[in-house]
């Protein structure tokens, strides 16, 4: 049997984000194959066998890789549109364009979304894809292929919509599926792409889009399908006051009660946004272990409001961070969400006590891993966990005068990524992707964005 190959990283500050928030001012990590073998203060142990690489990480902070818990990759090619709209008006403005996407567009958009996140420290990404125009090709396969080629750990939340305009929903009728088609295609996606192994690079979740684009029957049957297959469930929830009014008008109850009535609360569920939640809603999430993907930049861009993150955390609700689609967060980056989560939440009633820098880092790492059901494998730097980690450079002009490296990472300018590892494989070096041609991706996304805009203009 071939000896395990080791990489030794030394002389860096380390924020493990383990249960005790252990940190080292100067320490080491030993990666053995695709796992973390050991870490600690000082220099690495002497006598390690088969060390194939040593990295002097002086001036760097090592953290777990960032985990993105909510995104819509296809929106990369519709950035910068409807910039002064609330959620419902934004959706009405953009659905006719999104309904014209096809496989080449989705593949290019996924490459763009993944590249921007990966070069900024994301090692686990997710995509909630719910627009499947008829005859558009294998959109799920295109996204999975892009993530595989990029080398990023990935969850595809196979979405669906069956409530078009004629049924009182927001999307155009030609952009939705039938209930049976949505369920069949979702199950096929799970059986084709879902990997149950502990070091899986691709997993699938069942993810009908939202209460205002999905029938109650599709919500119920999607939950049954997911639990029958043993996979997780994802959807949008409680994002805006308009959504809350919609649920009361259509279902006679608020979003959380509606979700509970359709089987959509539980430890295997996470919801995006969860901005407008009362104490009873938060208690229901805490009681059932339902997770939250907090998307501060998107919530601000669409004027949705400030999520009660401090109250969610105090109640024990699992919370991670999300970029959300880049048509409502044009930067497409997760590391900037650490800062935005802290700042936005301090504008709320808890003020300076809302979030600390270390809580923000936890949201973007261990919190996200917990929300995706992968906290036993990723999200913290501990022996035996998968080797998903980032080296952030902290000795440049932007950060060198900040003594606390975690505060520098969260509150300072976006930190350069010197190295990012997924499963022990380095995918970023000196801020550039090693696994993809960034310039080629930029050209492809620009061409597909123009192609989509031309098709949309034809009506």
């Amino acid at each position: 049997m071939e000896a395990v190959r080791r990489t030794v990283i030394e002389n860096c500050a380390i924020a493990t984000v383990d249960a005790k928030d252990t940190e080292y001012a100067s320490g080491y990590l030993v990666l053995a194959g695709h796992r973390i073998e050991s870490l600690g203060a000082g220099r690495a142990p002497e006598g390690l066998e088969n060390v194939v690489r040593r990295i002097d990480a002086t001036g760097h902070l090592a953290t777990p890789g960032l985990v993105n818990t909510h995104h819509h990759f296809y929106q990369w090619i519709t950035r910068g549109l409807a910039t002064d709209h609330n959620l419902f008006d934004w959706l009405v403005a953009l659905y006719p364009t999104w309904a014209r996407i096809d496989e080449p567009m989705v593949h290019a958009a996924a490459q763009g979304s993944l590249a921007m996140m990966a070069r900024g420290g994301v090692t686990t990404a997710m995509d909630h894809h719910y627009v499947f125009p008829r005859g558009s090709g294998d959109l799920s396969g295109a996204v999975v292929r892009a993530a595989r080629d990029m080398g990023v750990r990935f969850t595809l939340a196979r979405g669906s919509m069956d409530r078009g305009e004629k049924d009182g929903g927001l999307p155009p009728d030609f952009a939705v599926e039938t209930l049976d088609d949505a369920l069949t295609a979702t199950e096929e996606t799970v059986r084709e792409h879902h990997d149950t192994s502990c070091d899986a690079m691709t997993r699938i979740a069942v993810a009908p889009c939202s209460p205002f684009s999905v029938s109650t029957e599709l919500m119920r049957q999607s939950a049954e399908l997911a639990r029958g297959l043993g996979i997780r469930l994802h959807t949008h929830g409680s994002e805006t006051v308009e959504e809350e009014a919609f649920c009361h008008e259509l279902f006679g109850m608020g979003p959380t009660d509606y979700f509970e009535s359709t089987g959509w609360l539980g430890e295997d569920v996470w919801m995006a946004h969860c901005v407008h939640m009362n104490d009873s809603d938060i208690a229901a999430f805490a009681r059932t272990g339902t997770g939250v993907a907090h998307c501060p930049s998107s919530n601000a861009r669409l004027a949705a409001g400030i999520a009660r993150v401090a109250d969610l955390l105090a109640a024990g609700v699992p919370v991670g961070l999300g970029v959300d689609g880049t048509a409502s967060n044009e930067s497409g980056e997760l590391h900037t969400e650490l800062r935005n989560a802290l700042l936005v939440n301090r504008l709320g009633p808890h003020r300076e006590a809302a979030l600390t820098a270390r809580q923000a880092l936890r949201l973007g790492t261990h919190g996200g891993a917990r929300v995706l059901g992968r906290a036993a494998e990723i999200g913290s730097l501990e022996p035996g966990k998968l080797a998903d980690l980032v080296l952030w450079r902290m000795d440049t002009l932007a950060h060198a005068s900040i003594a606390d490296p975690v505060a520098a990472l969260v509150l300072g300018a976006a930190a350069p990524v010197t190295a990012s590892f997924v499963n022990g494989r380095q995918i970023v070096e000196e801020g550039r992707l090693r696994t993809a041609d960034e310039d080629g991706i930029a050209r492809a996304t620009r061409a597909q964005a123009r192609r989509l805009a031309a098709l949309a203009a034809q009506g």
Side-chain angles (χ1 to χ4, degrees), residues 164-391:
E165 287 177 315
K166 68 178 177 59
D167 297 317
L170 291 181
D173 292 329
F174 61 85
V176 302
E177 300 173 281
T178 67
L179 182 149
D180 288 341
D181 286 348
L183 292 170
T184 298
T186 299
E187 184 169 3
E188 289 174 351
T189 301
V190 174
R191 300 202 181 280
E192 184 173 358
H193 297 294
H194 185 65
D195 185 351
T196 60
S197 61
C198 65
D199 60 349
M201 292 296 290
T202 304
R203 289 192 176 168
I204 308 298
V206 174
C209 181
S210 62
F212 48 82
S213 59
V214 174
S215 69
T216 297
E217 194 57 32
L218 180 54
M219 291 294 292
R220 288 199 180 104
Q221 292 195 37
S222 292
E224 293 170 0
L225 174 65
R227 292 186 173 118
L229 295 171
I231 62 174
R232 298 182 74 75
L233 300 85
H234 180 60
T235 191
H236 296 90
S238 302
E239 185 173 359
T240 66
V241 292
E242 291 85 2
E243 177 191 339
E244 185 169 3
F246 181 94
C247 286
H248 277 286
E249 179 180 350
L250 204 62
F251 311 123
M253 64 187 84
T256 299
D257 290 337
Y258 174 68
F259 288 132
E260 187 154 33
S261 74
T262 56
W264 270 81
L265 294 184
E267 293 182 354
D268 54 357
V269 180
W270 84 103
M271 306 265 184
H273 303 294
C274 299
V275 175
H276 296 279
M277 298 181 71
N278 58 34
D279 290 347
S280 176
D281 297 329
I282 292 174
F285 272 53
R287 169 174 49 82
T288 58
T290 305
V292 170
H294 175 45
C295 306
S297 291
S298 176
N299 293 343
R301 160 79 150 78
L302 296 173
I306 301 172
R308 297 174 58 185
V309 173
D311 295 327
L312 290 164
L313 294 175
V317 175
V319 182
L321 290 181
V323 171
D324 201 12
T326 49
S328 63
N329 179 2
E330 275 75 4
S331 78
E333 298 177 307
L334 191 69
H335 61 302
T336 54
E337 296 304 289
L338 302 175
R339 184 173 190 262
N340 292 343
L342 185 149
L343 297 182
V344 167
N345 281 279
R346 286 190 179 186
L347 293 174
H350 294 284
R351 301 179 63 187
E352 70 275 9
L355 280 179
T356 68
R358 282 161 176 80
Q359 285 177 309
L361 177 59
R362 179 171 288 276
L363 290 179
T365 54
H366 186 271
R370 187 180 173 199
V371 162
L372 294 183
R374 305 205 66 169
E377 306 144 18
I378 59 173
S380 60
L381 302 180
E382 301 179 68
K385 283 202 167 184
L386 298 174
D388 293 9
L389 65 143
V390 180
L391 293 178

